[in-house]
């Protein structure tokens, strides 16, 4: 498929996806959604691809939100009838079992912040800005922001951010637990690709299971979460890669993963 609003490149086992509407600060319209679903679907289905990076084209924005011009005249019946936004939340979280990173290179506002929070973790440039300013448009976050932001930074900060619409700089976002690491803007893409390559070099079933276990902490209580983790451990104990990883350690050599 040829894309118009995103760019996709493969760097060995890492898929790099750029949202590419820099003149509109990479605002997320329906075409971006369809193209991202297609690109991430191909990434998930391609056995040679082990980790993905999502970033924004240009220097100014990761994504400045859902496309306000697309939403401005949309009536309630369409928002409700189409279940607008539901595919964003269902697709990028449940359907993608391989790890992926958001490399936030500028504004990540509204839907942009929400898509970044759907990633397994966020790497941010020192020029990034995070926020959920939907209140200023007379609405509220629509792709899970009120929930994921609260899980990430806690009630006090999430509430202050959604009620005032103020933006957070990357250092504050890192302190608050929204961001894994902040890196200089010029290094962000290389750093994200290198981090993704490290993840891509891990045994793929173990990568999936580690991701699933951490995500379970958002859905399950502590006891159920620990039980879920133990079941995943038991599952991995039956893989060839577990045998290879442990044997390679004992034999003091590098492991060679089969993905089985
Ligand atoms: N939707 C559509 N177009 C957008 C956009 C958006 N979310 N954000 C920016 N743009 C467009 C602007 O309209 C402008 O286009 P034109 O040149 O055609 O006028 C272009 O991008 C550049 O933007 P600005 O001139 O505004 O750039 P700036 O540097 O002065 O300001 C900004 C940057 C502070 C990010 C400002 O653009 C802004 O506030 N954007 C909107 C942020 C926002 O409210 N996001 C939430 C959207 S609602 C949402 O996301 C709902 C949800 O939860 C799913």
């Amino acid at each position: 498929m040829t894309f118009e609003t995103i760019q996709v490149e493969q760097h060995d086992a890492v898929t790099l996806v750029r949202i590419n509407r820099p003149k509109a600060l990479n605002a997320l319209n329906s075409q971006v959604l369809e193209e991202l679903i297609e690109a991430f679907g191909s990434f998930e289905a391609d056995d040679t691809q082990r980790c993905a990076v999502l970033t924004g084209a240009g220097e100014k924005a990761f994504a400045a939100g859902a496309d306000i011009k697309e939403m401005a005249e949309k009536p309630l019946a369409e928002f409700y009838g189409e279940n607008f936004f539901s595919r964003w939340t269902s697709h990028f979280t449940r359907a993608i079992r391989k790890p992926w990173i958001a490399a936030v290179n500028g504004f990540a506002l509204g839907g942009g912040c929400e898509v970044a929070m759907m990633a397994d973790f966020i790497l941010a440039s020192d020029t990034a800005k995070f926020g959920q300013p939907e209140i200023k448009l007379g609405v509220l976050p629509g792709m899970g922001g009120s929930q994921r932001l609260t899980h990430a930074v806690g009630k006090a900060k999430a509430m202050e951010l959604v009620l005032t619409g103020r933006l957070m700089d990357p250092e504050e976002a890192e302190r608050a637990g929204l961001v894994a690491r902040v890196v200089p803007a010029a290094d962000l893409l290389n750093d994200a690709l290198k981090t993704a390559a490290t993840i891509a070099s891990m045994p793929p079933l173990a990568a999936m299971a580690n991701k699933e276990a951490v995500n379970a902490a958002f859905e399950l209580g502590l006891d159920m979460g620990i039980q879920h983790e133990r079941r995943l451990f038991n599952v991995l104990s039956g893989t060839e890669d577990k045998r290879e990883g442990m044997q390679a350690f004992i034999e003091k050599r590098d492991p060679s993963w089969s993905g089985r």
Side-chain angles (χ1 to χ4, degrees):
M1 180 172 173
T2 331
F3 297 119
E4 290 172 1
T5 63
I6 66 170
Q7 294 169 337
V8 182
E9 291 165 14
Q10 289 187 351
H11 296 246
D12 298 321
V14 174
T15 299
L16 171 64
V17 182
R18 280 194 189 84
I19 304 165
N20 188 29
R21 300 183 70 209
K23 285 190 185 141
L25 301 187
N26 299 324
L28 305 168
N29 63 13
S30 299
Q31 189 177 358
V32 176
L33 169 65
E34 293 310 323
E35 294 188 359
L36 284 177
I37 286 177
E38 179 77 25
F40 272 77
S42 301
F43 157 68
E44 182 73 9
D46 184 342
D47 282 346
T48 69
Q49 297 301 290
R50 299 279 171 84
C51 188
V53 173
L54 179 66
T55 193
E59 289 172 4
K60 220 172 146 182
F62 174 78
D67 192 313
I68 297 166
K69 290 164 190 166
E70 186 178 63
M71 292 185 296
E73 300 301 326
K74 211 178 206 4
L76 181 156
E78 277 180 31
F79 274 111
Y80 186 65
E82 294 169 5
N83 209 0
F84 201 70
F85 296 137
S86 68
R87 294 181 74 217
W88 284 101
T89 45
S90 60
H91 192 79
F92 296 100
T93 50
R94 295 195 192 290
I96 306 300
R97 297 171 69 212
K98 293 179 183 176
W100 65 281
I101 301 168
V104 172
N105 54 313
F107 290 113
L109 307 183
C113 187
E114 292 168 295
V115 168
M117 289 190 288
M118 291 175 204
D120 295 314
F121 58 92
I122 298 173
L123 295 178
S125 74
D126 52 9
T127 54
K129 292 272 182 212
F130 296 88
Q132 299 290 163
E134 288 90 340
I135 194 166
K136 294 181 177 176
L137 302 169
V139 288
L140 83 164
M143 300 182 198
S146 63
Q147 308 303 299
R148 286 202 179 87
L149 187 67
T150 308
H151 275 288
V153 306
K155 177 183 165 183
K157 200 174 275 291
M159 194 68 96
E160 190 221 354
L161 287 164
V162 299
L163 287 178
T164 64
R166 88 166 167 88
L167 308 190
M168 244 193 315
D169 66 32
E171 291 75 21
E172 181 184 1
E174 185 183 18
R175 278 196 309 276
L178 181 65
V179 159
R181 254 177 330 105
V182 181
V183 292
D187 301 337
L188 178 69
L189 194 56
N190 277 344
D191 192 311
L193 289 172
K194 212 170 133 196
T195 306
T198 301
I199 295 169
S201 73
M202 298 296 167
L205 296 177
M208 246 182 227
N210 274 274
K211 166 173 171 154
E212 185 182 328
V214 173
N215 281 335
F218 288 91
E219 309 292 340
L220 304 174
L222 183 61
D223 198 41
M224 292 303 291
I226 290 170
Q227 284 188 41
H228 188 69
E229 178 193 80
R230 197 176 312 126
R231 282 190 206 109
L232 286 169
F233 193 102
N234 292 343
V235 167
L236 289 183
S237 75
T239 62
E240 286 175 20
D241 281 343
K242 170 259 179 187
R243 192 182 157 77
E244 166 65 7
M246 295 197 179
Q247 206 55 38
F249 175 82
I250 291 164
E251 293 168 10
K252 300 187 189 301
R253 61 172 172 81
D254 289 333
S256 168
W257 308 122
S258 65
R260 304 182 76 84

